[in-house]
């Protein structure tokens, strides 16, 4: 249910109603909008709860949330969520750009990448230290050593760091080094991991599973939000279809669709979404035109020598071109890049 407070409800009334919601055995999430405050009351609703809450002090209305996801829904929060962390902002009119290599490979590689993407206008650095690889024989990432190099790159460039966490055992460790925790496509439905990242203060980049529906993605986000972490970015990274000309199929209708259903920012990953360097820039531009709140792009100093995903990584000059073109498309749709 949504407990809609009166426009002039006092902090005491909001506090009182939050307590009432919890006394009824429901979880309360207070959302302070520009117009008014609402309290999401989520959990098993019973009997006369709605009437009881409606008669509370400072309450304007109590309404059901029809969507299966509650805190993520646009019904609850009509205004778009803006996420800010260090150098990085996305949502509500700002297109954030996260760029860097698929994997952290060496000090030289990550520092050079950080400097180049920063110079081109990226606002966050990506780089995997814990890598989910299809084969156990492929490079698995530099682990904590990689996290230290990412922190060093942040130190040198000021860029916020986005990196993947694969296991509940590593959440505390990764959260200590990273600004944003990435949940990879393969872990979108690892519910214990979603709950664990819901308990830390870092924003989360939640990637869509390769065969997950929009509703499953939004319910996965709900797991994180329900633990009290309000800063979730949804990432479309392509889905598995019968088509084989691209690594995955990148559906851009997800951007306007998600904007109708949720207030959370939507980030597009055209690197994994296409799997081919020559296709990445055009799909990034299309994503911004479709309304994306951010991009995540793989960039490598020497893609042909990359230890993972070189075939879909951009060189530094290619990324610079992407940024120049992206700025113009963002302007055309009344958004700011960066
Ligand atoms: C990645 O970002 O390098 C990655 C492994 O992505 P995904 O989880 O979307 O496959
Ligand atoms: Mn990759």
């Amino acid at each position: 249910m949504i407990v809609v407070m009166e426009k002039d409800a006092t902090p005491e009334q909001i506090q009182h109603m939050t307590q009432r919601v919890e006394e009824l055995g429901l979880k309360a999430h207070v959302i302070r909008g520009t117009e008014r405050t609402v309290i999401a009351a989520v959990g098993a609703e019973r009997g006369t709860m709605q009437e009881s809450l409606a008669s509370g002090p400072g309450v304007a209305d109590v309404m059901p949330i029809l969507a299966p996801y509650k805190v993520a829904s646009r019904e609850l929060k009509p205004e778009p969520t803006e996420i800010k962390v260090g150098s990085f902002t996305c949502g509500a009119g700002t297109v954030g750009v996260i760029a860097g290599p698929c994997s952290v490979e060496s000090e030289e590689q990550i520092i050079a990448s950080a400097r180049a993407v920063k110079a081109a206008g990226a606002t966050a650095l990506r780089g995997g230290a814990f890598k989910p690889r299809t084969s156990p024989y492929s490079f698995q990432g530099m682990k904590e050593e990689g996290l230290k190099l990412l922190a060093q790159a942040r130190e040198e460039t000021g860029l916020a760091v986005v990196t993947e966490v694969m296991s509940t055992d590593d959440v505390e460790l990764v959260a200590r080094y990273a600004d944003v925790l990435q949940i990879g496509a393969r872990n979108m439905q690892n519910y214990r991991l979603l709950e664990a990242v819901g308990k830390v203060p870092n924003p989360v980049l939640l990637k869509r599973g390769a065969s997950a529906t929009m509703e499953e993605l939004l319910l996965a986000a709900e797991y994180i939000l329900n633990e009290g972490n309000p800063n979730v970015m949804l990432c479309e990274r392509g889905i598995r279809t019968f088509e084989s000309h691209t690594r995955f199929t990148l559906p851009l209708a997800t951007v306007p669709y998600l904007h109708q259903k949720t207030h959370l920012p939507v980030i597009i990953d055209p690197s994994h979404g296409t799997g081919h360097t020559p296709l990445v820039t055009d799909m990034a531009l299309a994503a911004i035109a479709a309304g994306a709140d951010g991009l995540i792009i793989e960039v490598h100093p020497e893609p042909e020598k990359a230890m993972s995903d070189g075939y879909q990584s951009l060189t530094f000059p290619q990324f610079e071109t992407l940024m120049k073109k992206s700025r113009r498309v963002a302007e055309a749709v009344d958004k700011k890049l960066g």
Side-chain angles (χ1 to χ4, degrees):
M1 286 175 288
I2 313 175
V3 180
V4 183
M5 300 302 291
E6 302 273 13
K7 279 203 175 87
D8 57 359
T10 65
E12 291 74 28
Q13 288 173 329
I14 295 167
Q15 172 63 29
H16 174 84
M17 291 313 297
T18 306
Q19 227 171 310
R20 276 293 296 137
V21 167
E22 277 162 4
E23 278 165 16
L24 292 172
L26 302 174
K27 208 160 194 172
H29 297 269
V30 181
I31 315 275
R32 289 170 212 282
T34 44
E35 286 284 303
R36 52 171 93 221
T37 296
V38 302
I39 305 166
V42 292
E45 294 170 25
R46 290 177 312 274
T48 56
M49 282 182 178
Q50 186 167 345
E51 291 83 341
S52 161
L53 291 170
S55 57
V59 175
D61 202 0
V62 179
M63 295 179 299
I65 305 175
L66 299 177
Y69 37 88
K70 308 295 175 189
V71 192
S73 79
R74 195 120 208 176
E75 292 168 65
L76 177 71
K77 183 171 181 280
E79 301 106 41
T81 291
E82 181 182 70
I83 295 182
K84 277 185 179 210
V85 52
S87 61
F88 181 78
T89 303
C90 75
T94 305
V95 179
V97 182
I98 306 161
C102 179
S103 305
V104 180
E105 298 167 3
S106 68
E107 177 177 340
E108 227 184 350
Q109 175 245 20
I110 195 67
I111 301 295
S113 301
R115 289 207 176 111
V117 301
K118 161 107 192 229
T123 46
L125 174 68
R126 65 151 288 148
F130 290 90
K131 292 304 301 177
R133 303 306 301 279
T134 303
S135 163
Y137 307 118
S138 302
F139 175 57
Q140 302 289 313
M142 292 180 75
K143 319 249 164 78
E144 188 167 1
E145 208 43 50
L147 296 176
K148 286 185 181 159
L149 294 176
L150 285 166
Q152 188 188 331
R154 173 180 49 218
E155 198 69 5
E156 294 197 17
T157 59
L159 287 177
V161 162
V162 181
T163 197
E164 178 161 355
V165 58
M166 286 173 57
S167 151
T168 50
D169 298 342
D170 302 326
V171 170
E172 191 267 328
L173 172 77
V174 180
R176 225 180 317 128
Y177 289 100
D179 297 288
V180 175
L181 301 180
Q182 175 176 326
I183 299 292
R186 293 159 186 81
N187 268 320
M188 190 205 85
Q189 287 179 310
N190 181 340
Y191 299 117
R192 297 298 84 80
L193 181 59
L194 300 177
E195 285 169 349
V197 298
K199 291 187 173 85
V200 296
N202 312 51
V204 175
L205 178 77
L206 176 63
K207 298 190 98 179
R208 178 187 188 178
S211 52
T213 63
M214 286 287 98
E215 189 167 306
E216 287 165 340
L217 172 64
L218 287 161
L219 284 167
E222 189 79 8
Y223 267 90
I224 304 171
L225 299 167
N226 195 38
E227 292 299 325
N229 187 341
N231 295 317
V232 179
M233 297 168 247
L234 303 172
C235 179
E236 173 60 79
R237 45 76 76 209
I239 52 173
R240 185 153 279 169
T241 69
F242 57 82
E243 188 51 79
S244 59
H245 76 291
T246 47
R247 184 178 178 193
F248 293 97
T249 295
L250 182 62
L252 290 180
T254 52
V255 180
Y257 178 83
L258 285 170
H259 281 158
Q260 284 176 20
K261 299 292 176 189
T262 181
H263 51 87
L264 299 172
V266 182
I267 311 288
I268 293 291
D269 176 348
S271 305
H272 293 85
T274 64
H276 295 288
T277 303
L279 306 180
V280 171
T281 299
D282 287 336
M283 290 311 284
L285 302 180
I288 299 173
D293 303 293
L295 299 172
I296 179 163
I297 310 284
E298 288 187 338
V299 179
H300 195 283
E302 289 177 283
E304 66 177 309
K305 294 193 185 154
M307 293 172 85
S308 59
D309 289 356
Y311 46 81
Q312 64 190 34
S313 299
L314 302 189
T315 61
F316 296 160
Q318 285 170 331
F319 180 67
E320 214 183 306
T321 303
L322 177 149
M323 289 301 286
K324 279 196 185 124
K325 291 183 173 178
S326 294
R327 216 163 272 123
R328 295 174 57 201
V329 177
E331 205 176 300
V333 292
D334 298 323
K335 290 206 179 160
K336 196 171 96 275
L337 192 80

